[in-house]
Amino acid sequence: MNEVIKPWRRVGDFHGRATRKEYWSAMIQLTLIFVLFVVFFVAADETLPSPVVMFVMGMLMLVFLVVAAVVGTSVGIRRIHDFDVTGWLVLTFYIPYLGWIAMIIIGCIPGTPSQNRWGADPRGGPALQQVFS
């Protein structure tokens, strides 16, 4: 449950590291919320084809897209930091068509197993390995 809430607690936190689990949790949540918005948007358009309803739905979608951009960028930067690369690589997310590929690749690369320049290993790293060895 912590991995579900963690990306939302760290909204706007562009420092530190994020595990693959935290990254994928955020990306899946954002995708599901977007799909729900689209479904509600289409349903509202078919049941109440009013310009006022469409305007309100459009504004809600715009607010969601801004929040999603901040959440996705912050978790993406922390994920990139996990494998010891500069967070500016997150700009590849915003390249049309190639951004999805970049998101998948960044979500699959394993992090450095010990401390790097952006902080300690979020999975516990060597300290955890010493406990179980």
Side-chain angles (χ1 to χ4, degrees):
M1 184 65 169
N2 188 30
E3 296 299 328
V4 173
I5 298 170
K6 195 172 187 180
W8 298 99
R9 284 188 178 168
R10 296 183 71 186
V11 171
D13 179 10
F14 301 98
H15 303 288
R17 297 167 66 174
T19 62
R20 287 181 281 191
K21 190 175 187 179
E22 179 184 348
Y23 174 81
W24 284 116
S25 172
M27 292 303 162
I28 290 170
Q29 288 176 47
L30 292 173
T31 302
L32 290 175
I33 293 169
F34 177 75
V35 168
L36 286 175
F37 261 107
V38 170
V39 167
F40 287 135
F41 201 104
V42 169
D45 185 37
E46 289 182 7
T47 58
L48 301 167
S50 163
V52 174
V53 172
M54 290 300 103
F55 178 77
V56 170
M57 291 296 289
M59 288 296 111
L60 288 173
M61 178 67 89
L62 182 64
V63 168
F64 167 72
L65 290 176
V66 169
V67 170
V70 172
V71 171
T73 302
S74 66
V75 77
I77 288 173
R78 291 193 314 271
R79 177 72 209 123
I80 292 167
H81 285 171
D82 193 36
F83 51 89
D84 206 15
V85 177
T86 180
W88 287 102
L89 186 64
V90 79
L91 293 177
T92 60
F93 286 8
Y94 299 102
I95 299 172
Y97 304 109
L98 297 177
W100 289 100
I101 297 168
M103 286 180 177
I104 292 169
I105 291 171
I106 286 169
C108 293
I109 297 173
T112 53
S114 61
Q115 181 159 341
N116 66 21
R117 57 186 160 162
W118 282 285
D121 186 358
R123 295 167 301 278
L128 188 64
Q129 291 172 356
Q130 290 173 357
V131 169
F132 293 108
S133 61

